[in-house]
Amino acid sequence: MTVAVGIGAWSRRHMLDVEGLSRDEIGRILDMAVEMRIARAERRHRSLLEDEVVGLAFYEVSTRTRVSFELAAKALGATTVDLSVAGSSVAKGESLVDTLRTLERTGVTTLVLRHGSSGAAHLAVRTTGLRVVNAGDGIHAHPSQALLDALTLREAFGTLEGIRLVIVGDVVHSRVARSNIHCLLTMGALVRVAGPPAWVAGFEEWPGIDVATTLPEALDGADAVMALRAQTERGAILPPELAEWRLDTERMRHADPGAVVLHPGPTNEGVELTAELANGPRSLIGRQVENGVPVRMAVLALVAGAA
Amino acid sequence: MTVAVGIGAWSRRHMLDVEGLSRDEIGRILDMAVEMRIARAERRHRSLLEDEVVGLAFYEVSTRTRVSFELAAKALGATTVDLSVAGSSVAKGESLVDTLRTLERTGVTTLVLRHGSSGAAHLAVRTTGLRVVNAGDGIHAHPSQALLDALTLREAFGTLEGIRLVIVGDVVHSRVARSNIHCLLTMGALVRVAGPPAWVAGFEEWPGIDVATTLPEALDGADAVMALRAQTERGAILPPELAEWRLDTERMRHADPGAVVLHPGPTNEGVELTAELANGPRSLIGRQVENGVPVRMAVLALVAGAA
Amino acid sequence: MTVAVGIGAWSRRHMLDVEGLSRDEIGRILDMAVEMRIARAERRHRSLLEDEVVGLAFYEVSTRTRVSFELAAKALGATTVDLSVAGSSVAKGESLVDTLRTLERTGVTTLVLRHGSSGAAHLAVRTTGLRVVNAGDGIHAHPSQALLDALTLREAFGTLEGIRLVIVGDVVHSRVARSNIHCLLTMGALVRVAGPPAWVAGFEEWPGIDVATTLPEALDGADAVMALRAQTERGAILPPELAEWRLDTERMRHADPGAVVLHPGPTNEGVELTAELANGPRSLIGRQVENGVPVRMAVLALVAGAA
C-alpha cells in the first residue's frame, strides 16, 4: 500500500548519510516529520507500513535511537523484529554480512543498523537487497540524528538559513557531528567546531567549517551550541584541559543572548555541560528526543516508498 | 478511548504501592481482575489500550512479572517496548532519570519499572509525566504481586476478612512481604511473620503484625502460609538454623487442616519448602502465576483511565 | 478460529522430532509450507493464529531459527513473547520446568524451545500442557530445520524419492543431521554420512545409512551435499585431518555434475566449505533460510490445529 502523506511523489531506497541529500530533500523530510507527528497524535497512518518488516540490528548499545525507531515502525503498523533479543549467531562466528543476508531471507524488508564500524550500512547495501537505514556507523554518520537536530533547530528559529551553530567537544570521533555538519551546511547554516586540539584535528580543512580554539571564541555570536560527550569507546582520551570546555550558564554569556543548547544524548552532566544548563530554559535536549520518533517515522515511510 | 469494564468511574494515575489503597479500592481492583480474566478468554477489550505505549523497564531479572505485564498489555491492544532488549545506554553512563525521561519523550505513556533501589518508582513519578506502575523496587514494594496474592486468597476462602496468613522466611528483605502486609491488613486479614530472628527483625513494631519465633508457633491456626526465598541478592545471609524453617507436609500439620501454601516464586524447592508441598494439593503457587496477567490487565487499565 | 489452509483435517499437538512422522505427513507439511509462502506474499491468513500466544524460549543463541519462528508467528497474527528479553529468573535459580510452567500459566499456548539438553522439548511435553515445538534440543533433534531442508531439496529435484544426499562433517554432534536422516529416509532418499572417524562414529549401525571414510568416496554419485560445522560447543574436537574434508569446487567434481550444496548455517567459510562454493550457483544455502519462515508458519498452524 502506498499512501501519499503530504510531500508528493519522492522516495529513497536507503538512508545512509545526510551527505548527498539536497536542501529540498532535507526540507521535505522535515516537513514529512511534522506531518508524521500530527498523524501519530491523531492515530492516522496506523497501517501505512503494514506490509513492512523492520529488522532492528543494534550492535552497539542504545536507548533513544533503538526505542524511537521501534516505536516509529510500530506507529505505522510495521512488523518489527529485534536481532539482539536472544543473543545472535555472532557467538557461532557468523559475519555481519551473513547475518544481514539471513535477515533478508526471513522476509525483513527494512534494516535499521547500528554498528561500530564506519561503512557498515554501506556494506549492507552492497551485499543485500534490504532497504537500509543507518542508525549510526562508527565515526561516520548518524543521519536520522542530524535530521531530528535540524528539525529541532528549525522549530526554534523558523529556518536553518543563516543560523550560527557551534559544535563543542569530541568532534573528531562523532558521527553525530559529521552528519550535522553535512545537513546544516546544506541548509545554509553557519557551522563552527571547537574543542581541545585533538578533538577538532583536521576539521580546519573542511570547506565552510570554522574551527575555534578557545570556548569564548567558539561561542562568540552563536545562535545554538551543540555539546558532545567524549566517545571513549572510540578511543577518545580525556585531555587535561577538558574542564575549560565545559558549558555552563556563565560561559554561555559569550553566545547570543537567545542561544539554545543541544546534545545528542546521553549527556554526562558536569563533564561537557552542567546539569543547570542541560535542564534549563535554553536547553532543547528534551525536544531533540521528542523529534526522534516523527523523524524516524518519516525516514521509514520514505525508504518504503510509502510517503 | 475509555470503556467502562465493570467497576464504575475510578482510576489512579500510578500504582506505586498497596499502602494508601482503601479496602474498597483493593476490592474493586480484584473485581476488575476477575472481569479481565473473563474478557481475555472471550477475546474482549482487545483494543481497550490501543492508544497506550507501555514501556517495560526491568533493571532486575524477571520471568513471571515481565512476561505477565507484557502479555497483559498486549491482550488489551497496547503497544509495548522493552528497554532491556538491546542493552541500554547505562553503559554510556546514563542515569535512571535520564533514561525514563527519554522513554517519555519517545511517546511511552505507561512505565512498568522494576529496579533494585527502593523508591525508584516514586523517583519516576517525581521526575517524569509517565504513568508509573511499580513492578518491584528494592525491598520496598511490589503491589501487583500483593494484589494477585490477595485475589488468589479471596478465590480460595471467598473473603479476606479474618483470614489468618503467616509469612515465613526472609521477610526483612522482601518487597512482596511488605506489600502483602499492607494489602491484607487493609482487607481485614490477620498477618503473622516468622523466620530466623535476623529475617523478621523490626516487624514486632508494625501495628497489627504478630511475630512468631518458632515454626510450630508460626503455623498455629494458620489458614494460609506464604513461603519466601532468601533474597541473597539484597544481602540476606543464610542462617545456620535455616532447615528448621523449611515447610513440609509434616510441619504443615501445625496449621489449620485446610491451610493453603503460597510462594511468590521462583521457589527454591528443598530450601524454603519441599517439592512435595510446592506441587501438592494445598499449593496455590500455580494459581498465583495464573492470576498475574488478569491483575496486571486491571492495573494497566486503571492507570490509563480506561477501566 | 480454525481455517483450513489447504491440506485437510489433520493436526499434531507437538512437533518434537521428525522421527515418527509418516511420508504422507511430511509431504503434507511441505505442501502446507508452500501454501503458507503464497499466503504470506498475498497477505492472507494474517489472523489465523490471532488467539495464540507463542512463547519463544531460546536457551542457546540463534539468529535464523529465532527470527524465522518469530516472523512466522507474527505473519499469522499470533501474539509473541520472548523469554530471553530481559534475562530470566534462571539467575534466581529457577529450573527449566518451573519457567515453562510459569509461561503456561501466563497464557502462553505454544512454546518454541531451544535448549542445550537433548530431551528438553520432551520434558516440556511431560511437565506442562503447552503445545511444544522443538527448535533444537542438544544433539537430539531439530525438526523444523529438517523440514525446511526437505522442502529445499524437493524444490530442487521435484521429489525426494531416490535423491542421494551425503552429510559431511561433525555428524555425531549434530541434531540437524539426525533430523535430516529421519526425514529423508522416510521420504525415500538415500543418505550417506561422511567425515573424520570420530564425527561419524556409530552411524554405521543406523539402518539404511551408508558411511564413507574419504571425501571422494562420500561424494561419489551424490545429488546433494550437506556440510556441517564443528559443534565445538557440544564437545567436538577439531581433528588434524579436517582440511581433507573441506568442500570446494574442485572436490565437488566427485559428485554428480548437477549436485547442490546445503548447510544449516551459520557457515564457517574456509573451514567446512569454501566461500566460493557457499556463494556459488550450486549453493542452496540462501534458499534454506528463505524456506524457514513458511515451514515454521506451517508448523505453528499445525500444532494450533488451525491448518
Side-chain angles (χ1 to χ4, degrees):
Chain A
M1 183 181 58
T2 302
V3 174
V5 296
I7 65 150
W10 170 69
S11 73
R12 299 176 64 82
R13 247 187 90 67
H14 308 293
M15 178 60 71
L16 303 180
D17 196 350
V18 180
E19 197 180 352
L21 289 178
S22 70
R23 186 184 293 210
D24 183 51
E25 288 170 323
I26 292 170
R28 285 187 189 194
I29 297 171
L30 303 189
D31 292 346
M32 203 194 315
V34 172
E35 157 67 13
M36 284 297 183
R37 180 193 296 130
I38 298 166
R40 190 185 190 203
E42 295 179 351
R43 291 90 172 92
R44 286 187 289 110
H45 296 328
R46 287 195 169 186
S47 304
L48 188 70
L49 299 184
E50 68 180 355
D51 293 337
E52 299 301 308
V53 181
V54 175
L56 301 160
F58 279 70
Y59 284 80
E60 295 186 328
V61 294
S62 168
T63 301
R64 67 202 71 221
T65 305
R66 183 186 60 77
V67 168
S68 62
F69 267 115
E70 181 175 340
L71 291 179
K74 288 180 171 174
L76 296 173
T79 298
T80 61
V81 67
D82 198 305
L83 191 61
S84 323
V85 172
S88 79
S89 286
V90 172
K92 291 183 188 169
E94 189 172 52
S95 72
L96 174 63
V97 170
D98 283 347
T99 300
L100 299 183
R101 284 179 174 155
T102 293
L103 281 186
E104 181 182 8
R105 284 167 178 144
T106 59
V108 168
T109 56
T110 299
L111 171 71
V112 178
L113 178 66
R114 167 164 293 190
H115 199 279
S117 298
S118 301
H122 288 80
L123 180 67
V125 169
R126 285 199 306 278
T127 56
T128 73
L130 292 160
R131 295 172 191 134
V132 179
V133 175
N134 184 2
D137 63 324
I139 64 165
H140 172 247
H142 192 352
S144 63
Q145 179 70 40
L147 290 166
L148 72 87
D149 290 339
L151 180 59
T152 304
L153 287 168
R154 198 179 75 168
E155 288 175 342
F157 296 103
T159 180
L160 295 169
E161 178 83 44
I163 297 302
R164 291 160 297 178
L165 175 85
V166 55
I167 305 176
V168 179
D170 180 11
V171 180
V172 77
H173 298 102
S174 173
R175 55 196 177 206
V176 173
R178 280 182 183 73
S179 285
N180 262 290
I181 291 170
H182 283 298
C183 185
L184 292 169
L185 289 182
T186 299
M187 300 308 282
L190 307 171
V191 183
R192 181 181 292 160
V193 300
W199 285 2
V200 294
F203 279 82
E204 65 283 355
E205 296 175 25
W206 192 317
I209 295 292
D210 182 23
V211 179
T213 56
T214 68
L215 188 59
E217 180 196 343
L219 297 179
D220 183 46
D223 296 309
V225 186
M226 178 178 292
L228 299 178
R229 67 181 181 83
Q231 303 261 330
T232 49
E233 73 273 30
R234 304 196 202 288
I237 294 161
L238 300 185
E241 72 273 28
L242 187 58
E244 295 170 24
W245 292 95
R246 181 171 53 240
L247 293 168
D248 62 23
T249 307
E250 175 64 25
R251 289 168 176 177
M252 282 294 288
R253 293 190 186 161
H254 294 283
D256 185 88
V260 296
V261 175
L262 293 90
H263 191 298
T267 57
N268 294 304
E269 293 179 358
V271 181
E272 65 262 16
L273 82 175
T274 59
E276 183 195 11
L277 193 60
N279 300 303
R282 294 172 151 210
S283 172
L284 298 180
I285 298 172
R287 187 61 178 169
Q288 288 173 277
V289 179
E290 289 169 4
N291 282 333
V293 174
V295 162
R296 281 147 186 155
M297 290 170 79
V299 168
L300 291 173
L302 189 69
V303 299
Chain B
M1 183 180 59
T2 302
V3 174
V5 297
I7 65 149
W10 170 70
S11 72
R12 300 176 63 83
R13 245 186 91 67
H14 308 293
M15 177 60 72
L16 303 181
D17 197 350
V18 180
E19 196 181 353
L21 289 177
S22 69
R23 186 185 292 212
D24 183 52
E25 287 170 323
I26 293 170
R28 285 186 188 194
I29 297 171
L30 303 188
D31 292 346
M32 203 194 315
V34 172
E35 157 65 15
M36 285 295 182
R37 181 194 295 130
I38 298 166
R40 190 186 189 203
E42 296 178 349
R43 292 91 171 90
R44 286 187 289 110
H45 296 329
R46 288 195 169 187
S47 304
L48 188 69
L49 300 185
E50 68 180 355
D51 293 337
E52 299 300 309
V53 181
V54 175
L56 301 160
F58 280 70
Y59 284 80
E60 295 185 328
V61 295
S62 169
T63 300
R64 64 203 72 219
T65 305
R66 184 185 61 77
V67 167
S68 63
F69 267 116
E70 182 174 339
L71 291 179
K74 288 179 171 175
L76 296 173
T79 298
T80 61
V81 66
D82 198 306
L83 190 61
S84 323
V85 171
S88 79
S89 285
V90 172
K92 292 183 186 167
E94 190 171 52
S95 72
L96 174 63
V97 170
D98 283 346
T99 300
L100 300 183
R101 284 178 174 158
T102 292
L103 282 186
E104 181 181 10
R105 284 166 178 145
T106 60
V108 168
T109 56
T110 299
L111 171 72
V112 178
L113 178 66
R114 167 164 292 190
H115 199 280
S117 297
S118 301
H122 288 80
L123 180 67
V125 169
R126 284 199 307 276
T127 55
T128 73
L130 292 160
R131 296 171 191 136
V132 179
V133 175
N134 184 2
D137 64 325
I139 64 165
H140 173 246
H142 192 351
S144 63
Q145 178 69 41
L147 291 165
L148 72 87
D149 291 339
L151 179 60
T152 304
L153 287 168
R154 199 180 73 168
E155 288 176 342
F157 295 103
T159 181
L160 294 168
E161 178 83 43
I163 297 301
R164 291 159 297 176
L165 175 84
V166 56
I167 305 176
V168 179
D170 180 11
V171 180
V172 77
H173 298 103
S174 172
R175 56 198 177 203
V176 173
R178 281 182 182 73
S179 285
N180 261 291
I181 290 170
H182 283 297
C183 185
L184 292 168
L185 289 181
T186 300
M187 300 309 283
L190 307 171
V191 183
R192 180 182 293 160
V193 300
W199 285 2
V200 294
F203 279 83
E204 66 282 356
E205 296 175 25
W206 192 317
I209 295 291
D210 182 22
V211 179
T213 56
T214 69
L215 189 59
E217 180 196 341
L219 297 178
D220 183 47
D223 296 307
V225 185
M226 179 178 292
L228 299 178
R229 67 180 181 80
Q231 303 261 329
T232 48
E233 74 273 31
R234 304 196 203 288
I237 294 162
L238 300 185
E241 73 272 27
L242 187 57
E244 295 171 25
W245 292 94
R246 181 172 52 240
L247 293 168
D248 61 24
T249 307
E250 175 64 25
R251 289 170 177 177
M252 281 295 289
R253 293 189 187 161
H254 293 283
D256 186 88
V260 296
V261 175
L262 294 91
H263 191 298
T267 57
N268 293 304
E269 293 178 358
V271 181
E272 65 262 15
L273 81 176
T274 59
E276 183 196 11
L277 192 60
N279 300 303
R282 295 172 151 212
S283 173
L284 298 180
I285 297 173
R287 187 61 179 170
Q288 289 173 278
V289 179
E290 289 169 3
N291 282 334
V293 174
V295 163
R296 282 150 185 151
M297 291 170 77
V299 168
L300 292 172
L302 188 69
V303 299
Chain C
M1 184 181 59
T2 300
V3 174
V5 297
I7 65 151
W10 169 70
S11 72
R12 300 177 63 82
R13 247 187 90 67
H14 309 293
M15 178 60 71
L16 302 181
D17 197 349
V18 180
E19 197 180 352
L21 289 177
S22 70
R23 186 185 292 211
D24 183 52
E25 287 170 323
I26 292 169
R28 287 186 189 195
I29 296 171
L30 303 188
D31 292 345
M32 202 194 316
V34 172
E35 156 66 14
M36 284 295 183
R37 181 193 295 128
I38 299 166
R40 190 186 190 204
E42 295 179 350
R43 293 89 172 90
R44 286 186 288 110
H45 296 327
R46 287 196 169 186
S47 304
L48 188 69
L49 300 185
E50 68 180 354
D51 293 337
E52 298 301 308
V53 180
V54 175
L56 301 160
F58 279 70
Y59 284 80
E60 295 185 330
V61 294
S62 168
T63 301
R64 65 203 71 219
T65 306
R66 183 186 60 78
V67 167
S68 62
F69 267 115
E70 181 175 340
L71 290 179
K74 288 180 171 175
L76 297 173
T79 298
T80 61
V81 67
D82 198 306
L83 191 62
S84 322
V85 171
S88 78
S89 287
V90 172
K92 291 183 188 169
E94 189 171 53
S95 72
L96 175 63
V97 170
D98 283 347
T99 301
L100 299 183
R101 284 180 174 156
T102 292
L103 281 186
E104 181 181 8
R105 284 166 177 145
T106 59
V108 168
T109 56
T110 299
L111 172 72
V112 179
L113 178 66
R114 167 163 293 190
H115 198 279
S117 298
S118 300
H122 289 80
L123 179 67
V125 170
R126 284 200 307 277
T127 55
T128 73
L130 292 160
R131 296 171 190 134
V132 179
V133 175
N134 183 2
D137 64 325
I139 64 164
H140 173 247
H142 192 352
S144 63
Q145 178 70 40
L147 291 166
L148 71 88
D149 291 338
L151 179 59
T152 304
L153 287 168
R154 197 179 75 167
E155 288 176 342
F157 296 103
T159 180
L160 294 169
E161 178 82 44
I163 297 301
R164 293 159 295 179
L165 175 85
V166 55
I167 305 176
V168 180
D170 180 11
V171 180
V172 77
H173 298 103
S174 174
R175 56 197 177 204
V176 173
R178 281 182 182 71
S179 285
N180 262 290
I181 291 170
H182 283 298
C183 185
L184 292 169
L185 290 182
T186 300
M187 300 309 283
L190 307 171
V191 183
R192 181 180 293 158
V193 301
W199 285 2
V200 294
F203 279 83
E204 66 283 354
E205 296 175 26
W206 192 317
I209 294 293
D210 183 22
V211 179
T213 56
T214 69
L215 188 59
E217 179 196 342
L219 297 179
D220 182 46
D223 296 308
V225 186
M226 179 178 292
L228 299 178
R229 66 180 182 81
Q231 303 261 331
T232 48
E233 74 273 30
R234 306 198 200 289
I237 294 161
L238 301 185
E241 73 274 27
L242 186 57
E244 296 170 24
W245 292 94
R246 181 172 52 240
L247 293 168
D248 61 24
T249 308
E250 176 64 26
R251 290 169 176 175
M252 282 294 288
R253 294 190 186 160
H254 294 283
D256 185 87
V260 296
V261 176
L262 293 90
H263 191 298
T267 58
N268 294 303
E269 293 179 358
V271 181
E272 64 263 16
L273 82 176
T274 59
E276 184 196 10
L277 192 61
N279 299 303
R282 294 172 152 211
S283 173
L284 298 181
I285 298 173
R287 187 61 180 169
Q288 289 174 277
V289 179
E290 288 169 4
N291 282 332
V293 174
V295 163
R296 282 149 186 153
M297 290 170 77
V299 168
L300 291 173
L302 189 69
V303 300

